[in-house]
Amino acid sequence: MRFLKNVFSQLHTFVLWLLASALFWGWIFTIVTDTSPEKKVTVYCRVPAVQDAALAAALEEDMPEGLRMIKVHSFEYVMFGTDEFDRGDIFIVPASEEADFVKDLLPVEGDQPTKAYDAAAGEGVATDYIQYGNEDYYMYLGSGSVHLEDGAALAVARELLAMG
Amino acid sequence: MNGTVIELYSDADLARMKKHIKRWRTALLALAAAALAVCVGLAAAAGTLNAQRMELATIAVSTVAGWVVLYGILFVVTPVRRELAHAEMLRTEERERVEGAVALTDERFTIRKSVAVRRVEVRADEETVHRLLVCASRAQALAGAETRALYTCHGYVAAYEVTA
């Protein structure tokens, strides 16, 4: 009883500590689990659901040289920073929204977009990790990617396509 | 009336309080250091696949350990540290002698950033009543007393006289 009375008398201090702890370690983990665009390839998926950590871990198994990590994000993540989107390396977008993005995106190879998911056949890349909607999806490279010249973006895109 | 002077806080009491503070400070410091080491270990062990779990675990460890340390500081160490400061003041500063009929009242309150006290009234004669304070944890020493000589320091009871 006395314990509870004590806790409630300083409840604001305990709540403040919880918030400070979450903010501090959240910041530390952002530093530990992220790196500069030059040392990572980022894949953005405009899909209903994606197992981001599992897909990133699978792609990291055969990571191009010079990279420290591969990040996979849903598009909701982009809302937290437009810079992130501009510097994205690989994009998987639905056919219905392709026109919204295609001016900023580059085909993976050749001039034609690369199909990432065929809705009619129900087949696509990394379907163990990505849940697609009921339409076709296409894969692009980001025009602002820093990994166009070193080929890392293309290498990871090919790795993704091989996960079909 | 001259008798034996009994200090409210003996040397042994002061030594006991100092030991209590030192022991708890060491224990809380050890807990904080251990929790920090665990959190750093968890952050270092974070990979792509387990980053979210590790972050949650780190926040949980840091929060719970912080709560324990905060509780210890606020409700175990600080009250004793304040009582020790109060006791050292009573033992070292100048005193006055007051004699009369001692009555321990039910009035009690906590002095901000200091100790909990109870009111003591000492009736010297028909017209003179000394209104004093005594540390609540030591107040029982004055309970049931009749006529007695008290030694006071800044209005606090520091010692009392008993006749053999």
Side-chain angles (χ1 to χ4, degrees), chain A residues 2-4 6-7 9-10 13-15 17-18 21-22 25-29 32-33 52-57 60 69-70, chain B residues 36 39-40 42-44 46-52 54-56 58-60 62-68 70-71 74-75:
Chain A
R2 188 192 172 111
F3 169 77
L4 287 178
N6 284 343
V7 168
S9 73
Q10 288 290 331
T13 309
F14 291 102
V15 171
W17 175 259
L18 168 67
S21 177
W25 288 108
W27 175 63
I28 293 291
F29 269 78
V32 169
T33 60
D52 47 9
L55 177 56
E60 282 177 357
M69 59 183 69
I70 292 173
Chain B
L36 183 64
C39 289
V40 170
L42 288 171
T48 300
L49 206 52
N50 65 1
Q52 279 185 334
M54 289 297 195
E55 185 175 348
L56 280 176
T58 306
I59 291 170
S62 155
T63 301
V64 173
W67 282 344
V68 173
L70 274 174
Y71 189 92
L74 292 172
F75 299 109

